[in-house]
Amino acid sequence: MGESYSTESTMRLRASWKDDRPLKHPGIPTKIDRSRWRMRSDSGRHTWHYLDDDEAAKEWPLSLADKYYLNLPLNQPTLPLPTRPLDALQNGLTYFSKLQLPPGHWGCEYGGPMFLLPSVVFAWVATNTPIPWPYAIELRNYLFAHAHPELGGWGLHIEGDSTVFGTSLNYTVLRLLGVDAEHPIMVKARARLHSLGGVIKAPHWSKFFLAMLGVCDWDIVNPIPPELWLLPDWIPVTPWRWWVHIRMVFLPMSWIWSKRWTMPETEVIRELRQELFTQPWETVDWAAERNNIAEIDNYHPKSWILNAFSWTIMNVWNPFLRPRWLVGRAEAWVSRLVDMEDLNSDYADLASVNGPLNTILCYIRDGPDSYSLRRHRERLEEFLWVNAEGMLVNGTNGVQNWDTAFLIQAVVHAGLAEDPKWKPMLVKALGFLESQQIREDCIDADISYRQRRKGGWAFSNKDQGYPVSDCVAEALKAVILLQKTPGYPQLLEDQRIYDAVDTLLEYQNPSGACSSYERTRAGPYLEYLNGAEVFGRIMYEYDYPECTTAVVTGLALFQRYWPDYRRHDLEVFLQRAVQYIKTAQYPEGGWYGSWGVCFTYGTMFALESLFTIGETYGNSSHAKRGCDFLVSKQREDGGWSESYHSCEKLKYTEHPSGSQVVQTAFAIIGLLQAEYPHMEPLRKGIKLIMDRQLPNGEWAQEALEGVFNNSVLISYPNYKFIFTIMALGKFAKRYPNEKII
Ligand code: LAN
């Protein structure tokens, strides 16, 4: 990409504002042609490229998947109108199979949270990384498209009301990209920010980033002492016990905080100091505003214990006691842990907050010409995505393994694995999973507090290198199901299957449950140290019914074909895990889902666990209560409709926009797993799924499907294919001759 947009030259004449393109820079073309974007997937590494000249665009034509991502017309034929679920399923697959990428997997945007894009842009700006002009334009387009239409500003995620967190970060991004402060969207956002009290009311992470940019003074940032990493492991609050996402974000943050590093001042930073505050910048009493936070941002108020800790650090430890030698040791150790993270992921890093932060650390520590910075810059590209609204930053470097594993299972469960029409697609998908299995444990696993990973699968791709309990299990199931179907290549020999099982067996918590990335290393007390304010349940690894179920079903499937391998370990594991599932049931009968919205998602999984040990509606009070709960939430039109407010409030809440295809599929799958005996509710749900299918076989995007940390929504655009196909297939297996329409 030839031309780039220098972040240093963000100064422009406000008066020169004339059109809707506030990015003023000599040489930036006035128009962007969205059909010039291409997504390239090298073994599951996704990068976007803007083809500036006609020749290049002709040589690299848009693929169907590109068109789909960009919402350009695909011109897919109208398919025969389905009357039976299996026909609808085939139509859905006909469409979805065309989106399979050359390595064998599916891609998708993975957006929703509104603090990821700022992390990446701030990393570029802080490290003096030129931002290509098509990026700058498309990032602006995306943020403009998601400014809250009534309130102005931006929220924690795209469906939420605007907050100080979202607005302060994204307003700053736009100004750094060269957007004029007097643009109507900016004026409205600023008004919203000021009505909430301005940036002094921002939560911790926002204050951190703005201090690093030089908009705030470091004194406004609550402490993140790197010394914490020197504490002995036995202490119950030490960082090795934290949930890996928090651990890996606070790690580079603590180093930057300790250095109080601020990027060189620019004109736009000086302007932001005037724009983001409700009082003259020079008069702000920074230290006094550290705990000042707007009500709307304060999802998880800080505990008095954390406040006392922070006070002591800032008023006693730092000014009077903190010895230089200790600071040096702590910073050096943190810096080494960052290197381990970078080495174990080839700089891909865990996700799109710690990746940008590690980038900044490497720039400060290793300099602008270092290998570490160059490699980080390349890897940051993999978090980017382009859609019909512009450019966004994904929650991870993709959803490759996860979606592929589910799609395989959905087709196998529908009884179509041997159908010559779908076999080539499945063989390619199997090949992808084979290529993505992690084959080695981490370097320095013990000292970097990493768990066994050999044989596992990550959520996205192998490079990222973090297996997750359910990602390993879902991929393992997909592999076993295909390799045990006659006529499929045996790409993973038994030893590689055993490796996966050995990794899975490491995940069980004392409660019997599984968490996400690691076994739990702490308890609820650690939430007293949650200082992020905007997220709940973030400090340690919780027990999750959905992760536990995936492991239960994965191990049970394995056991069917390899009954003697670690027989005793597996039996004990399964028995304890399902016992946990029972205890996690809510009094109303459902299960809380932490990673999808919400009770429909969690209940689908839990009912599958119960089925694995033979407990269904007819013989189990747990399964019956789960089914009754689901059926009680079915709407008149046959669908289910849950809002993300369920996740925040831990109570089933209806979505204002009515039934959702994906949740309807979750509920139907759950009921079918539990062998729910009455056909009518199932039929009505299936009818809704079929009615919503478009003539070319696709389903339209509805509300966001996923969630994390109680409060942040994230999209899983492929769920509308995968789980509908799964529901239709399971229904068709149970009622093969049933016509619905
Ligand atoms: C994800 C995405 C996938 C998800 C499932 C596999 C679905 C789940 O069953 C286990 C947890 C996991 C892996 C998960 C954890 C948290 C993630 C990585 C995310 C929701 C995607 C983005 C999010 C991450 C924390 C975003 C960065 C934000 C911070 C607060 C650091």
Side-chain angles (χ1 to χ4, degrees), residues 663-704:
Q663 274 154 0
T664 305
F666 291 159
I668 296 293
I669 295 167
L671 291 170
L672 285 165
Q673 279 303 343
E675 299 180 344
Y676 183 70
H678 312 296
M679 197 193 14
E680 208 34 41
L682 298 167
R683 202 189 130 82
K684 275 175 76 183
I686 288 290
K687 182 163 183 327
L688 182 120
I689 293 175
M690 288 174 67
D691 285 345
R692 294 267 177 104
Q693 191 174 29
L694 302 177
N696 60 11
E698 72 169 312
W699 283 272
Q701 180 65 34
E702 298 175 344
L704 297 198

Side-chain angles (χ1 to χ4, degrees), residues 110 115 205 243 245 249 402 459 470-471 517 547 595 708 716:
Y110 193 39
F115 54 93
W205 288 15
W243 187 45
H245 277 284
V249 166
W402 183 248
F459 177 67
D470 52 357
C471 301
Y517 296 81
C547 296
W595 307 109
F708 59 93
Y716 286 80

Side-chain angles (χ1 to χ4, degrees), residues 226-285:
E227 295 91 300
L228 287 175
W229 269 267
L230 296 179
L231 292 173
D233 286 353
W234 59 264
I235 295 186
V237 296
T238 43
W240 79 279
R241 298 175 186 276
W242 303 355
W243 187 45
V244 67
H245 277 284
I246 281 307
R247 186 163 95 225
M248 287 310 183
V249 166
F250 278 120
L251 187 74
M253 265 189 178
S254 74
W255 191 90
I256 298 167
W257 173 86
S258 187
K259 299 260 180 226
R260 289 173 76 100
W261 184 86
T262 301
M263 74 165 205
E265 194 174 299
T266 60
E267 177 58 26
V268 74
I269 295 295
R270 282 191 285 277
E271 289 174 5
L272 281 164
R273 290 177 186 164
Q274 308 308 315
E275 293 161 23
L276 296 179
F277 296 83
T278 52
Q279 68 190 92
W281 186 80
E282 298 72 21
T283 66
V284 179
D285 180 355

Side-chain angles (χ1 to χ4, degrees), residues 143-210:
L143 290 181
F144 276 13
H146 286 287
H148 197 287
E150 285 104 45
L151 300 171
W154 295 267
L156 178 61
H157 54 82
I158 58 177
E159 289 189 19
D161 284 350
S162 43
T163 59
V164 179
F165 191 38
T167 307
S168 60
L169 293 178
N170 290 299
Y171 183 96
T172 303
V173 165
L174 286 166
R175 295 288 285 115
L176 291 167
L177 292 175
V179 175
D180 194 287
E182 298 314 317
H183 185 282
I185 288 182
M186 303 298 275
V187 172
K188 200 164 174 181
R190 210 161 54 236
R192 170 69 175 167
L193 183 64
H194 285 204
S195 76
L196 293 171
V199 91
I200 56 166
K201 295 249 180 198
H204 185 223
W205 288 15
S206 188
K207 284 174 172 155
F208 169 89
F209 277 120
L210 293 175

Side-chain angles (χ1 to χ4, degrees), residues 6 286 340 596:
S6 158
W286 301 103
M340 290 180 207

Side-chain angles (χ1 to χ4, degrees), residues 552-590:
V552 164
T553 50
L555 292 178
L557 181 69
F558 168 80
Q559 221 178 18
R560 204 185 304 160
Y561 295 104
W562 290 271
D564 296 327
Y565 187 77
R566 296 185 66 179
R567 179 196 285 264
H568 178 69
D569 295 339
L570 263 82
E571 269 161 19
V572 174
F573 190 109
L574 292 174
Q575 198 264 332
R576 288 180 55 220
V578 182
Q579 200 45 45
Y580 151 75
I581 293 284
K582 292 182 179 176
T583 61
Q585 188 165 25
Y586 273 46
E588 299 79 31

